Amino acid sequence: MALAQKIIIADDHPLFRAALQQAVKQVAPEADIVEADSMEAVQNAASDHPDADLILLDLHMPGAHGFSGLVFLRGQCPGIPVIVVSGTEEPLVIQRAIDFGSSGFIPKSSSLDTIASAIKEVLNGEVWLPPEIADTLSEISEEQARFAEALSTLTPQQFRVLNMLTEGLLNKQIAYELNVSEATIKAHVTAILRKLGVHSRTQAVIAAKQLEIDPPKITE
């Protein structure tokens, strides 16, 4: 008898969300699936469903830069395992995903059966990696590990502000986007700098860019 699971599928491409749903249904036909198409939507889904069994996360979600979304989710909801699903397949990227708390890494080029097998293993408490690269990985630097730990302490609003800083927005532009006062944004920036252990917006942006990765190349 199949166990009912609650699974969050986070990807901004509807067709790939549909493919992930197919794979999930192979493993857990009765699964309750929650879809999200942005980093903010994932945060809300994880907050609304703290009993979720799994998050399937695309690294290149709107509202996140590189590994920042993964690191933030692991800090905010450490009880929910996350599998990264990405079109970026370099061994270094896969290693970083595992080091930053992912329970698995599924290349988007994988077959539905492979995706289903990976989901099943992680739901059973295992870590899943593409077999061909599992033995080629190395550890992240101590500096990156420290920054990831600090980043995971940000509140959801502070996380959004940091991502907007990384995009080059000014305080007044961020305030407009988030519909709050500029004074509120200044307070958020001060808190972000303190938590990250840096002294300026520039240092915060440089630190955040450590987590960035190149987007997957789109082939025609």
Side-chain angles (χ1 to χ4, degrees):
M1 180 177 171
L3 291 175
Q5 308 276 1
K6 183 174 289 183
I7 295 175
I8 299 169
I9 294 178
D11 195 293
D12 59 329
H13 294 94
L15 286 177
F16 202 76
R17 287 203 304 274
L20 289 174
Q21 282 203 44
Q22 280 186 267
V24 167
K25 292 298 186 181
Q26 285 188 32
V27 178
E30 303 301 319
D32 178 9
I33 295 175
V34 179
E35 295 188 44
D37 60 1
S38 70
M39 195 59 219
E40 186 171 357
V42 186
Q43 293 169 11
N44 291 338
S47 176
D48 292 342
H49 303 281
D51 58 338
D53 297 285
L54 180 66
I55 299 173
L56 295 165
L57 177 71
D58 180 15
L59 284 180
H60 298 280
M61 293 279 285
H65 290 272
F67 295 108
S68 64
L70 169 63
V71 169
F72 180 75
L73 284 174
R74 297 306 300 134
Q76 293 293 307
C77 39
I80 307 176
V82 178
I83 299 178
V84 167
V85 186
S86 179
T88 304
E89 301 182 17
E90 288 85 355
L92 182 62
V93 173
I94 297 172
Q95 176 65 60
R96 296 297 175 267
I98 298 301
D99 287 337
F100 289 132
S102 176
S103 294
F105 191 105
I106 303 173
K108 284 191 172 182
S109 60
S110 303
S111 68
L112 278 181
D113 285 346
T114 298
I115 296 173
S117 294
I119 291 170
K120 183 176 181 179
E121 282 204 29
V122 173
L123 286 173
N124 286 333
E126 304 295 329
V127 172
W128 190 91
L129 290 172
E132 63 274 15
I133 61 90
D135 296 327
T136 66
L137 306 182
S138 58
E139 294 183 357
I140 62 171
S141 71
E142 192 176 325
E143 181 183 3
Q144 285 179 315
R146 276 200 307 270
F147 178 73
E149 185 175 354
L151 182 69
S152 70
T153 68
L154 299 183
T155 67
Q157 191 78 322
Q158 289 167 359
F159 179 79
R160 285 191 278 273
V161 171
L162 177 61
N163 274 293
M164 290 179 177
L165 290 177
T166 306
E167 292 166 2
L169 273 63
L170 303 173
N171 282 1
K172 62 182 179 182
Q173 294 171 309
I174 298 173
Y176 176 79
E177 290 290 333
L178 297 181
N179 196 29
V180 297
S181 71
E182 194 171 342
T184 297
I185 298 304
K186 287 180 180 177
H188 282 316
V189 171
T190 299
I192 290 166
L193 300 184
R194 185 183 71 252
K195 287 183 176 181
L196 297 185
V198 296
H199 303 293
S200 70
R201 295 162 61 106
T202 301
Q203 288 180 330
V205 169
I206 290 171
K209 285 183 179 294
Q210 292 181 60
L211 298 185
E212 290 194 356
I213 55 176
D214 293 329
K217 293 178 175 61
I218 299 174
T219 55
E220 297 296 333

